[in-house]
């Protein structure tokens, strides 16, 4: 990491450009901007677009590391442009390229469709066998704080695709599921409200699934939310091995916690407002 | 959207070799694959050479004489180095795949710590053992031990 400076500095941006209507392959274009301390790479790209080149394309939305839209390769490392300060990573040159392992739509815009398709393939939702309860709920599925902790870390994923861009296995095997979907498969399978392990193991336990991961660990290193996909993948492997050996502990689904009985409403809690739509 | 031309941006083998500010486990990953391929290549050559015995004693002796040169001695040592690394790193990976040394899920608090930090002592131990084995093997190959 470059030594942080408190002065304004001229930084040269080497930005990978690609216009599908004109170019046969990407090329690099050079821009120089005056960078103030605290400026993020996204701020720099905005400045270039406003003052030097309006044709520059990149994807962004929230500007605060929540939406996961502005994933880019910054000086060779997948990062979010909005939560990476320029002077934190360079004092001179900054190479900005689109996320690798995805097709380039234009300039810095990657095509994230494969990520979402793979994500959908692992059934990323709670699958519950108690269909009657799901259609006509009588209470809530109970979950203890310890049970919540088992998957909470993995539920912070914002689907930015940085882990997929950093994965060396995905670089040589397009069919490989990649860190994000495999992480999600563990996140839902370990949830005590879920009964979908058997359905998911058919997807993540195959040739291009979790056992192709050899723990390069780069997915966890680049994750902007501290989600740690590498850990989830290893824990999913353990679940699959234990299941294969038929020594996996049977986990019963959360019990349904009904409404409390014999409890009076506290007087300081106001009554709910009347319904605004007609009740059946 | 789909009718537009897109540029395939696959890293391929370069994705193994780096091109970024990567962590040490990634280099071990790359080395694990390279040594794995090296050992596979050695295995194929080994089968080919030992099968020369089928063509008589002369063919066998010829091949054995050929492999006595210092270059092949060095090559054998490299195979040993690759094997020592691959075997020990493989044990580390198997342990990790069974969920050992990666820790439990925890609330992510910035600056984030991941399972890589949790398994690092194991990685250091394994690499030290591999280094000791390689040095001991080097003594043998360089002829200090008869």
């Amino acid at each position: 990491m470059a030594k942080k400076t408190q002065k304004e500095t001229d930084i040269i941006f080497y930005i990978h450009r690609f216009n599908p209507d004109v170019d046969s392959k990407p090329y690099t274009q050079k821009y120089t901007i005056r960078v103030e301390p605290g400026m993020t790479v996204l701020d720099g790209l905005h400045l270039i677009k406003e003052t030097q080149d309006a044709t520059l394309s990149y994807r962004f939305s929230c500007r605060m590391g929540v939406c996961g839209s502005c994933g880019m390769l910054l000086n060779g490392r997948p990062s979010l442009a909005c939560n990476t300060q320029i002077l934190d990573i360079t004092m001179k040159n900054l190479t900005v390229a689109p996320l690798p392992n995805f097709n380039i739509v234009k300039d810095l815009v990657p095509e994230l469709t494969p990520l979402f398709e793979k994500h959908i393939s692992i059934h990323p939702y709670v699958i519950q066998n108690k269909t009657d309860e799901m259609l006509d709920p009588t209470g809530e599925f109970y979950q203890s704080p310890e049970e919540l902790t088992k998957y909470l870390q993995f539920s912070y994923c914002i689907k930015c695709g940085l882990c997929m861009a950093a994965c060396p296995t995905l670089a040589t095997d397009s069919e490989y599921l990649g860190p994000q979907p495999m992480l999600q498969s563990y996140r839902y399978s370990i949830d005590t409200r879920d009964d979908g392990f058997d359905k998911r193991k058919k997807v993540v336990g195959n040739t291009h699934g979790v056992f192709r991961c050899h723990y390069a660990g780069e997915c966890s290193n680049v994750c902007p939310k501290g989600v740690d996909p590498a850990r989830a993948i290893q824990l999913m492997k353990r679940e699959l091995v234990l299941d294969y050996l038929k020594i996996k502990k049977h986990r019963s689904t959360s019990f349904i916690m009904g409404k409390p009985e014999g409890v009076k409403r506290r007087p300081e809690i106001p009554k709910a407002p009347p319904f605004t739509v007609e009740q059946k | 959207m789909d009718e537009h031309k897109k540029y395939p941006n696959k890293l391929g083998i370069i994705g193994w070799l780096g091109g970024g500010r990567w962590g040490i486990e990634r280099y071990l990953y790359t080395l694990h694959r390279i040594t794995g391929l090296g050992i596979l290549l050695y295995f194929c050559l080994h089968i080919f050479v030992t099968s020369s015995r089928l063509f008589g004693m002369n063919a066998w002796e010829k091949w054995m004489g050929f492999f006595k040169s210092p270059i092949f001695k060095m090559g054998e040592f490299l195979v040993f180095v690759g094997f020592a690394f691959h075997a020990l790193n493989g044990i580390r990976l198997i342990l990790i795949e069974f969920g050992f040394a990666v820790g439990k899920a925890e609330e992510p608090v910035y600056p984030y710590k991941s399972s890589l930090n949790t398994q690092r002592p194991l990685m250091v131990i394994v690499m030290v053992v591999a280094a000791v084995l390689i040095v001991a093997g080097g003594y043998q190959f360089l002829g200090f031990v008869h």
Side-chain angles (χ1 to χ4, degrees), chain A residues 4-54:
Chain A
K4 211 168 181 176
T5 178
Q6 292 304 313
K7 292 178 188 168
E8 288 190 2
T9 316
D10 281 335
I11 301 287
I12 304 168
F13 275 56
Y14 292 93
I15 300 180
H16 285 226
R17 305 293 310 269
F18 174 71
N19 183 349
D21 297 331
V22 183
D23 307 318
S24 58
K25 61 177 185 177
Y27 64 97
T28 306
Q29 199 161 343
K30 190 175 154 185
Y31 303 91
T32 306
I33 58 163
R34 193 90 179 139
V35 171
E36 296 170 13
M39 258 177 87
T40 64
V41 176
L42 189 63
D43 292 334
L45 292 173
H46 284 328
L47 190 62
I48 291 168
K49 194 171 173 77
E50 283 166 11
T51 60
Q52 297 185 36
D53 189 347

Side-chain angles (χ1 to χ4, degrees), chain A residues 254-273:
Chain A
S254 306
F255 64 86
I256 297 158
M257 199 165 66
K259 289 172 188 165
E261 290 174 9
V263 184
K264 283 185 180 171
R265 188 184 185 87
R266 281 160 61 185
E268 69 271 23
I269 300 175
K271 281 188 178 176

Side-chain angles (χ1 to χ4, degrees), chain A residues 151-165:
Chain A
Y151 71 82
L152 185 63
Q153 177 180 27
F154 309 127
S155 64
Y156 288 122
C157 174
I158 57 171
K159 297 157 198 74
C160 57
L162 298 192
C163 54
M164 306 285 273

Side-chain angles (χ1 to χ4, degrees), chain A:
Chain A
M1 190 179 281
K3 198 182 172 189
K4 211 168 181 176
T5 178
Q6 292 304 313
K7 292 178 188 168
E8 288 190 2
T9 316
D10 281 335
I11 301 287
I12 304 168
F13 275 56
Y14 292 93
I15 300 180
H16 285 226
R17 305 293 310 269
F18 174 71
N19 183 349
D21 297 331
V22 183
D23 307 318
S24 58
K25 61 177 185 177
Y27 64 97
T28 306
Q29 199 161 343
K30 190 175 154 185
Y31 303 91
T32 306
I33 58 163
R34 193 90 179 139
V35 171
E36 296 170 13
M39 258 177 87
T40 64
V41 176
L42 189 63
D43 292 334
L45 292 173
H46 284 328
L47 190 62
I48 291 168
K49 194 171 173 77
E50 283 166 11
T51 60
Q52 297 185 36
D53 189 347
T55 64
L56 181 65
S57 295
Y58 50 94
R59 193 187 276 141
F60 76 98
S61 183
C62 75
R63 298 170 294 147
M64 53 185 172
V66 174
C67 72
S69 299
C70 62
M72 292 168 200
L73 199 66
L74 305 178
N75 273 0
R77 186 180 173 88
S79 317
L80 290 184
C82 68
N83 72 354
T84 307
Q85 292 191 16
I86 300 168
L87 298 179
D88 272 355
I89 55 170
T90 185
M91 290 295 292
K92 201 173 176 188
N93 301 326
L94 178 64
T95 307
V96 187
L99 287 182
N101 298 341
F102 294 107
N103 290 342
I104 305 173
V105 177
K106 194 182 178 192
D107 293 342
L108 301 171
V109 182
E111 185 194 24
L112 296 177
T113 315
L115 161 69
F116 297 121
E117 281 174 351
K118 286 172 181 174
H119 176 68
I120 292 166
S121 75
I122 59 96
H123 313 288
Y125 37 82
V126 170
I127 299 170
Q128 178 51 252
N129 287 343
K130 295 189 187 88
T131 42
D132 291 347
E133 182 60 29
M134 295 300 281
L135 292 171
D136 187 16
T138 57
E140 293 177 359
F141 287 103
Y142 174 78
Q143 199 163 56
S144 69
E146 292 76 27
E147 288 166 343
L148 173 73
T149 312
K150 283 184 181 174
Y151 71 82
L152 185 63
Q153 177 180 27
F154 309 127
S155 64
Y156 288 122
C157 174
I158 57 171
K159 297 157 198 74
C160 57
L162 298 192
C163 54
M164 306 285 273
C167 178
T169 307
L170 198 61
T172 48
D173 180 8
S174 319
E175 300 286 307
Y176 178 58
L177 275 175
Q180 192 278 340
M182 297 193 301
L183 155 93
Q184 293 297 313
S185 73
Y186 182 74
R187 177 258 173 269
Y188 285 99
S189 297
I190 208 71
D191 191 323
T192 50
R193 297 164 296 179
D194 182 84
D195 294 314
F197 177 77
D198 288 337
K199 209 170 177 183
R200 285 187 203 99
K201 77 177 179 188
K202 289 174 191 158
V203 185
V204 293
N206 73 11
T207 325
H208 300 287
V210 285
F211 290 103
R212 189 151 278 216
C213 165
H214 299 146
Y215 203 66
E218 215 53 52
C219 48
S220 297
N221 278 338
V222 300
C223 179
K225 307 305 280 183
V227 169
D228 203 351
R231 173 180 282 154
I233 295 167
Q234 310 319 310
L235 295 175
M236 190 66 190
K237 282 180 193 172
R238 180 170 67 181
E239 294 295 313
L240 287 167
V241 170
L242 294 178
D243 180 69
Y244 181 76
L245 297 174
K246 300 195 190 318
I247 51 174
K248 186 171 180 281
K249 276 185 196 165
H250 176 71
R251 169 177 64 74
S252 54
T253 315
S254 306
F255 64 86
I256 297 158
M257 199 165 66
K259 289 172 188 165
E261 290 174 9
V263 184
K264 283 185 180 171
R265 188 184 185 87
R266 281 160 61 185
E268 69 271 23
I269 300 175
K271 281 188 178 176
F275 289 109
T276 53
V277 289
E278 194 182 332
Q279 296 298 296
K280 286 178 187 173

Side-chain angles (χ1 to χ4, degrees), chain B residues 8 12-13 21 28 35 38-39 54 62 68 89 99 111 128 133 136 144-145:
Chain B
I13 297 286
R21 295 172 284 142
L28 295 182
T35 52
I39 292 165
L54 287 171
K62 191 181 140 197
K68 274 183 183 158
N89 194 47
V128 167
L133 263 182
F144 291 115
V145 182

